[in-house]
């Protein structure tokens, strides 16, 4: 059975850091493009960062220089290191796995507020 389970969301102050994790099971993780998305209240879900099976990385302009995506194929896990967090980063963060289909996790809440 396919699972993507995000963790690491929390409430932090502006300027703080968080590391999100997404643990995968039930499919060949190393073959898949892994992505982080976010959805803020009243807004559309947006792609934040992605990493290919070969390690090619893409970031949304809004997070470049602050967020770092990485993957550990031995642990079937993708990470999102988030530094310099801003209130506009407040959202539910989802990971997805894409190849011939797209698989989604349930999301983890990140709140940035003073």
């Amino acid at each position: 059975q396919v699972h993507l389970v995000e963790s690491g969301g929390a409430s932090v102050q502006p300027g703080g850091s968080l590391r999100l994790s997404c643990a995968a099971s039930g499919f060949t993780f190393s073959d898949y493009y892994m992505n982080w998305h976010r959805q803020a209240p009243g807004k559309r879900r947006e792609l934040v960062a992605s990493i290919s099976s070969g390690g090619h990385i893409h970031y949304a302009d809004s997070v470049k220089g602050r967020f770092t995506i990485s993957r550990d194929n031995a642990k079937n896990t993708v990470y999102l290191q988030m530094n310099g967090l801003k209130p506009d980063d407040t959202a539910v963060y989802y990971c997805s796995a894409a190849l011939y289909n797209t698989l989604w996790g349930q999301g983890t809440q990140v709140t940035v507020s003073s």
Side-chain angles (χ1 to χ4, degrees):
Q1 198 168 10
V2 172
H3 287 291
L4 290 172
V5 180
E6 300 97 332
S7 60
S11 293
V12 297
Q13 293 187 342
S17 297
L18 284 175
R19 188 194 197 200
L20 305 183
S21 299
C22 173
S25 60
F27 62 98
T28 307
F29 176 83
S30 58
D31 288 346
Y32 276 67
Y33 229 100
M34 298 301 299
N35 311 290
W36 284 99
H37 310 253
R38 66 186 180 188
Q39 188 166 19
K43 294 187 177 181
R44 296 177 64 180
R45 190 173 297 188
E46 63 173 344
L47 178 65
V48 173
S50 60
I51 184 167
S52 73
S53 59
H56 181 75
I57 290 173
H58 167 81
Y59 295 105
D61 287 344
S62 58
V63 306
K64 279 181 181 176
R66 299 189 298 124
F67 290 11
T68 303
I69 189 171
S70 61
R71 65 190 297 162
D72 186 335
N73 289 339
K75 295 183 178 180
N76 287 356
T77 301
V78 62
Y79 304 97
L80 187 67
Q81 177 68 43
M82 305 187 295
N83 300 328
L85 283 162
K86 305 175 181 179
D88 284 350
D89 295 318
T90 296
V92 178
Y93 283 71
Y94 299 89
C95 74
S96 73
L99 187 59
Y100 305 112
N101 55 344
T102 302
L103 312 169
W104 289 92
Q106 83 291 345
T108 186
Q109 176 70 47
V110 172
T111 302
V112 185
S113 174
S114 55

